[in-house]
Amino acid sequence: MSDSQNSAGRSHFVNQLRVRPDVLRAVPSEAAAPWTLRVQAAEAWDAVRVACTPDTSVRDVKRVAMGNLLPDVAELDAWMVKLHGAEVANEAVSLRTAGARDASTLFLMSRRRRPLR
């Protein structure tokens, strides 16, 4: 089964909502990835699915997702990760420690507010 047909990515409804077809991996291809998170970037109005484990760091998921959603962004620290509406202050912690679960949604937002025109 290919990553784009990963059953973990199709098992939860939230992982089917306006996401790109491929499932990205935040763990090595040979490692089991029991969780699939949805990562959305506010500026891109798009989302990706990321296969990971409960012990994967928030930073690793952010790096993989941003590489796909916002490839022109060079400074990852200029972006914050939000889970359940709150910023994950320490991105070095595991997803489990941050409070994520399988099929959670992480939001990527710029730390710098942009003026509306």
Side-chain angles (χ1 to χ4, degrees):
M1 184 177 287
S2 74
D3 280 321
S4 64
Q5 296 172 333
N6 181 343
S7 62
R10 291 186 290 148
S11 64
H12 296 285
F13 177 71
V14 71
N15 285 333
Q16 298 174 28
L17 297 173
R18 202 178 70 235
V19 293
R20 294 182 181 178
D22 294 334
V23 177
L24 307 174
R25 294 187 65 89
V27 292
S29 59
E30 64 276 358
W35 283 9
T36 302
L37 301 185
R38 182 174 185 273
V39 183
Q40 183 173 347
E43 282 76 358
W45 285 90
D46 209 352
V48 293
R49 292 173 289 176
V50 179
C52 54
T53 68
D55 297 321
T56 303
S57 74
V58 173
R59 185 181 323 274
D60 287 343
V61 173
K62 174 184 176 180
R63 180 185 45 77
V64 169
M66 286 189 66
N68 191 276
L69 289 170
L70 304 162
D72 297 335
V73 174
E75 184 58 44
L76 297 182
D77 289 335
W79 292 73
M80 72 175 88
V81 177
K82 286 191 167 190
L83 175 65
H84 306 299
E87 180 181 0
V88 178
N90 182 0
E91 295 177 3
V93 300
S94 71
L95 293 165
R96 179 188 348 245
T97 301
R101 296 184 304 215
D102 186 20
S104 287
T105 298
L106 300 178
F107 286 96
L108 302 172
M109 297 181 67
S110 174
R111 292 185 184 282
R112 196 181 92 183
R113 299 191 76 172
R114 297 171 192 232
L116 295 175
R117 295 180 187 216

